[in-house]
Amino acid sequence: KILSSNKVEALDIVEINPTVMKASRIFFKSYHPNIIKNKPQFFLLGGLEFVRETSKVYDLIIVDIEEPV
């Protein structure tokens, strides 16, 4: 729902699992081709590591964690 807002200027997707990352790329290409102004940027590493290393400032960070098996 958030991606349908015309106020979203950029989207960074951070994922530690390469398989999930590949699926994310396919999903956004298929289901959200024109929703955001710029293409999503994908980062393959852990979320905490990404936040510690980036110099970017974010208005919103959404965390989607799987339930442990």
Side-chain angles (χ1 to χ4, degrees):
K1 189 100 176 165
I2 291 170
L3 293 178
S4 61
S5 169
N6 62 357
K7 295 180 181 182
V8 175
E9 295 179 6
L11 175 65
D12 291 343
I13 299 171
V14 181
E15 175 57 53
I16 198 166
N17 183 323
T19 304
V20 174
M21 176 67 72
K22 185 177 179 181
S24 295
R25 288 178 184 271
I26 293 167
F27 172 80
F28 279 98
K29 186 177 180 181
S30 299
Y31 293 100
H32 300 292
N34 300 312
I35 284 184
I36 57 176
K37 297 173 187 170
N38 299 315
K39 291 183 179 179
Q41 289 190 320
F42 294 88
F43 299 89
L44 186 59
L45 72 159
L48 183 58
E49 182 181 359
F50 177 82
V51 170
R52 285 182 175 159
E53 293 180 6
T54 189
S55 60
K56 289 184 176 184
V57 176
Y58 291 89
D59 293 322
L60 177 66
I61 297 175
I62 298 173
V63 178
D64 184 16
I65 300 174
E66 294 178 24
E67 291 289 326
V69 180

